[in-house]
Amino acid sequence: MSDLDTFTFIPLKIDPQSKAISSAAQPSSRILEAELEALNNLHRSLHSLEAPHIIPPPPVPVNPKRSANVSKLRESGNTEYRKQRYPEAIKFYTLGLQMAITRPMWEPSQLVREEISQLYSNRAQAHMQLAQWPEAAADAESSVEAKRQGNAKAWYRRGKCLLEMGRFEEAREWVSKGLEVEGEEKELIELLKDIESRLA
């Protein structure tokens, strides 16, 4: 148990121009003055850095150029997919994922989740066209992890992959969970019927 059982309110003031913090209490303690001086020195040293970009900007703005590039890569992948050039589509989706995942930490995480859930789901579908079931299953699961609800395609795609790999029990469990999250989704219901017939 700490012996510091007393809380003392100490009024502080901040200079509106220099942003330096000082004690408004009189008389001021030497220990407090030393702590505040150290804090003010740290503040001044951060502002005097030659590379100000080291300090992250406020967490509001989103880089529109990165968002546009992610969308462009996804659309390029979709174009290749429609041309049945599935390996090329996978490359574009992968580049889009790399760009989305490496967004700065101060950008909204929900934006990243939306982007990567679409890209993982699309890449899963391209893998499925090449009968690359394990890769497709992993991508579809990653898509669901990024966005559980409103992502029925990803739930379906992993279920279909598990079915194709002969992992019927796991497929039934996965699709049943997908129906709990997504509701009465037609594709999932049909897939569950198919799985049940294989297990019968």
Side-chain angles (χ1 to χ4, degrees):
M1 181 80 182
S2 172
D3 55 1
L4 298 175
D5 55 359
T6 302
F7 172 79
T8 304
F9 178 78
I10 300 174
L12 300 176
K13 60 183 179 181
I14 184 167
D15 186 288
Q17 291 186 340
S18 69
K19 305 302 181 189
I21 299 171
S22 59
S23 172
Q26 294 298 331
S28 180
S29 88
R30 288 184 181 178
I31 297 173
L32 176 61
E33 290 294 342
E35 292 287 341
L36 291 175
E37 183 60 28
L39 182 62
N40 290 328
N41 286 338
L42 175 62
H43 179 257
R44 283 192 294 271
S45 65
L46 285 172
H47 274 280
S48 65
L49 289 173
E50 291 182 9
H53 61 271
I54 292 172
I55 304 171
V60 177
V62 172
N63 187 337
K65 186 179 287 187
R66 185 182 290 266
S67 297
N69 286 338
V70 171
S71 296
K72 188 174 180 180
L73 287 166
R74 185 177 65 248
E75 288 305 318
S76 297
N78 292 346
T79 301
E80 295 299 317
Y81 181 89
R82 286 191 289 270
K83 293 177 182 177
Q84 299 184 359
R85 295 164 58 175
Y86 305 120
E88 287 75 14
I90 289 169
K91 287 177 186 175
F92 279 113
Y93 294 141
T94 302
L95 287 170
L97 279 165
Q98 289 170 351
M99 184 164 285
I101 289 170
T102 54
R103 277 186 179 277
M105 293 296 289
W106 59 81
E107 293 194 0
S109 62
Q110 187 58 37
L111 172 64
V112 179
R113 287 177 176 277
E114 286 288 342
E115 288 176 341
I116 68 174
S117 69
Q118 292 175 20
L119 288 161
Y120 272 125
S121 184
N122 288 6
R123 194 171 72 173
Q125 182 65 18
H127 279 304
M128 289 171 74
Q129 294 296 335
L130 298 170
Q132 296 171 345
W133 308 115
E135 293 87 348
D139 275 354
E141 186 175 15
S142 295
S143 177
V144 168
E145 285 177 0
K147 183 183 178 184
R148 285 180 64 80
Q149 203 164 17
N151 197 7
K153 285 182 179 179
W155 283 101
Y156 172 86
R157 286 167 185 169
R158 184 166 193 265
K160 182 68 173 174
C161 291
L162 293 171
L163 177 64
E164 293 292 340
M165 290 188 284
R167 292 158 60 177
F168 304 131
E169 291 286 354
E170 196 176 344
R172 178 168 63 181
E173 184 182 340
W174 174 264
V175 174
S176 296
K177 193 182 295 181
L179 282 166
E180 288 176 16
V181 174
E182 299 291 353
E184 297 298 302
E185 191 68 36
K186 186 180 176 183
E187 280 191 329
L188 288 171
I189 292 170
E190 292 299 322
L191 180 58
L192 186 58
K193 286 178 183 176
D194 192 5
I195 294 165
E196 296 285 4
S197 68
R198 303 283 188 97
L199 285 165

